[in-house]
Amino acid sequence: GGTVTVGTTAEFRAAVNAATPGTRILLRPGVYDGNNYFGNVRGEAGRPVVIAALDPANKPVFRGGGEGLHFSDPAYLELRDLVVERATQNGINIDDAGSYATPARHILLSGLVVRDIGTGGNQDGIKLSGVQQFRVENSVLQRWGAGGSAIDMVGCHHGVVEGSLFQHTVTTTGTGVQMKGGTTNV
């Protein structure tokens, strides 16, 4: 546990890789690199791993890369007041690492801005695969891949999406929120 304040991409990656239940990682304002992949970031009930802006009024920006942020097999993880932009694949990707036995679970995405994602194809602002007990709240998603979704879910269960805004310049393809692949109770 404990609080770690970071100001560079290297410091951010090191802090996430070292996180234990109850750790709060606070990002100073500024621009951080994309292509951040993390496996098994796990908090506990009442002691989540929190990744958040140090100053919610001046959100840190993850820019570029294939994906801005990718968490595989996380549990009790909160992302708060972050910006992800200009990733070529998905803005934020959270998955179960391909295992039904250990779904990603107890995930909170709050106060996020995800914008200008993809190259025009099937790229998503937020991609959730095999996630249970999740919330996406008070977030803004703008301009994801024309064939993708603001939020794309496959095999997700027991979730809530609320108080969020989806904006796109393309109106003929793609979706705002897509629930597929056995997704239930959203």
Side-chain angles (χ1 to χ4, degrees):
T3 300
V4 179
T5 302
V6 300
T8 69
T9 303
E11 290 173 348
F12 167 70
R13 291 174 179 165
V16 175
N17 284 321
T20 59
T23 298
R24 292 181 54 82
I25 300 166
L26 302 178
L27 289 95
R28 291 185 176 94
V31 177
Y32 297 77
D33 294 336
N35 283 332
N36 296 285
Y37 173 84
F38 305 102
N40 299 307
V41 176
R42 294 174 175 255
E44 298 172 345
R47 300 179 64 216
V49 171
V50 177
I51 299 171
L54 177 64
D55 176 6
N58 195 0
K59 298 177 182 186
V61 176
F62 289 93
R63 181 174 294 154
E67 295 177 306
L69 296 167
H70 186 160
F71 293 89
S72 194
D73 213 15
Y76 297 96
L77 173 66
E78 298 182 5
L79 304 181
R80 296 177 170 274
D81 302 310
L82 307 172
V83 176
V84 176
E85 65 182 21
R86 301 186 202 163
T88 59
Q89 296 171 21
N90 298 309
I92 297 173
N93 189 341
I94 299 176
D95 66 54
D96 61 4
S99 171
Y100 295 120
T102 58
R105 61 191 185 283
H106 301 286
I107 306 298
L108 173 65
L109 306 178
S110 181
L112 304 179
V113 176
V114 182
R115 61 186 176 217
D116 301 319
I117 302 301
T119 57
N122 184 14
Q123 296 96 26
D124 305 313
I126 297 173
K127 175 74 174 178
L128 303 175
S129 304
V131 181
Q132 296 184 8
Q133 295 93 23
F134 66 92
R135 294 181 66 83
V136 179
E137 63 184 27
N138 306 318
S139 294
V140 176
L141 290 96
Q142 301 170 307
R143 299 173 303 278
W144 52 91
S149 303
I151 301 174
D152 186 350
M153 293 172 254
V154 60
C156 295
H157 310 285
H158 309 291
V160 174
V161 177
E162 70 178 355
S164 296
L165 176 66
F166 310 115
Q167 295 177 310
H168 206 298
T169 54
V170 176
T171 59
T172 57
T173 60
T175 57
V177 177
Q178 178 170 240
M179 298 171 276
K180 62 186 181 186
T183 295
T184 60
N185 298 315
V186 175

